[in-house]
Amino acid sequence: MRRIFFDERGSLRNGWWILIYLALLIVASVVLGTGARFLKRLGVGRAWFEPVPFLITLAAAWAVTRRRRERLADLGWRLDRRWLAELAWGTALGAVLIAAAAGLTWAAGGVRFELDPHRAFRVLGYGFYSFLLVALFEESLFRGFCFQRMVDGLGPWGAQLVLAALFALAHWGNQGMHGSARVWGTLNIAMAAVLLGLAYLRTRSLALPVGIHLGWNWAQGSVFGFSVSGTGASRGWLHPVLQARPEWVTGGAFGLEASVSGVLVLAAAIALLWAWRREPAV
């Protein structure tokens, strides 16, 4: 019976730690969610609540790492100069990748761009803030404690396959996920999860995956004006006008992440990151 709960070293098995984390995540969601709803009734603006999902994952991670006699820094939140540098490089890389996907789609005749008449620097700034919080939340949830326990228990690629499937399934209910867009969108999102997981495995830090995620979403939505993962068209610096081409070329209502251009760019990025032999390597 003991072997169900403990490994040969006498440590609680990773699967049980994941269940404990998920239970704490539910508790944190109830507590912080209740507080957020109370503040909304007092008239506090929406922008103040955007950090709540990330704070929920961070609170659950802090509680479980304390129980394991570890620190949040051990999960990849060591906020030093290297962390900030990797965040900056990751943001630049994510923006370059989505720009390449947009360029390929344009070259294939799938889109033309116009300047958005309502473009403004404050829109770019607020988009950066909003997408930063999305990246912090999703990377904490999908490349944080659960992923790292899976790496410990299943190995790097076992964990990558499980989280890639979950990451893709989490987007299935989004706008535009139908027909060929569902096939290409699922493939894109799964490949993005592999890229982000590999970014963590190469650095053992969440800075690079957070940066890539941020740069990709921000440039896609706030700069190029595409829908980001089917969340609806964004107000960007540019306005994309989709042409009469198949959705696997344009991405349709889901955005560039449902296009063949996204797949090609992500495949190239995974290959480059795989070739980057920085310690600790996979």
Side-chain angles (χ1 to χ4, degrees):
M1 187 70 179
R2 178 180 173 82
R3 293 181 63 183
I4 296 175
F5 295 96
F6 300 96
D7 60 22
E8 60 277 2
R9 297 169 296 179
S11 300
L12 189 65
R13 292 187 180 277
N14 288 297
W16 294 110
W17 279 118
I18 291 172
L19 289 176
I20 291 171
Y21 170 77
L22 294 176
L24 291 170
L25 198 63
I26 292 171
V27 172
S29 298
V30 171
V31 173
L32 290 178
T34 301
R37 286 191 294 272
F38 174 75
L39 291 174
K40 282 182 181 178
R41 287 197 293 269
L42 295 179
V44 178
R46 175 191 167 193
W48 292 98
F49 298 104
E50 293 196 33
V52 171
F54 170 58
L55 293 176
I56 287 171
T57 62
L58 198 64
W62 174 81
V64 77
T65 51
R66 277 186 61 87
R67 187 68 184 87
R68 287 170 56 87
R69 297 180 182 176
E70 296 172 345
R71 300 169 299 163
L72 284 174
D74 298 321
L75 293 182
W77 297 113
R78 187 184 301 277
L79 305 184
D80 53 15
R81 291 176 64 182
R82 172 184 163 180
W83 201 95
L84 293 174
E86 289 179 355
L87 176 68
W89 280 109
T91 303
L93 175 58
V96 167
L97 291 175
I98 202 64
L104 288 173
T105 304
W106 172 81
V111 67
R112 64 180 176 84
F113 293 100
E114 302 172 346
L115 282 174
D116 191 311
H118 303 293
R119 64 191 181 278
F121 285 110
R122 61 178 178 79
V123 174
L124 288 177
Y126 184 77
F128 192 90
Y129 164 77
S130 182
F131 285 122
L132 172 61
L133 291 170
V134 169
L136 288 168
F137 164 63
E138 293 194 355
E139 292 313 301
S140 179
L141 186 62
F142 287 100
R143 254 66 61 183
F145 185 80
C146 288
F147 176 71
Q148 293 167 36
R149 298 283 61 74
M150 287 183 188
V151 169
D152 192 37
L154 300 176
W157 289 106
Q160 285 275 54
L161 290 174
V162 171
L163 266 297
L166 291 175
F167 198 54
L169 286 173
H171 293 79
W172 260 32
N174 292 6
Q175 179 183 350
M177 262 290 197
H178 53 72
S180 64
R182 171 161 289 187
V183 176
W184 288 98
T186 299
L187 180 58
N188 265 272
I189 296 297
M191 290 177 68
V194 171
L195 174 66
L196 295 168
L198 190 56
Y200 168 78
L201 292 168
R202 282 288 183 258
T203 60
R204 298 292 168 171
S205 169
L206 290 170
L208 189 61
V210 167
I212 294 172
H213 201 148
L214 164 61
W216 176 281
N217 282 355
W218 177 72
Q220 182 174 198
S222 297
V223 177
F224 292 105
F226 287 97
S227 173
V228 178
S229 304
T231 55
S234 300
R235 175 177 289 181
W237 197 261
L238 299 174
H239 173 64
V241 180
L242 301 185
Q243 304 300 290
R245 300 298 301 275
E247 281 194 339
W248 60 267
V249 175
T250 67
F254 193 77
L256 289 174
E257 292 159 334
S259 70
V260 67
S261 299
V263 168
L264 294 174
V265 166
L266 286 169
I270 290 170
L272 288 172
L273 197 53
W274 177 260
W276 181 40
R277 293 298 174 184
R278 177 174 184 168
E279 291 294 334
V282 177

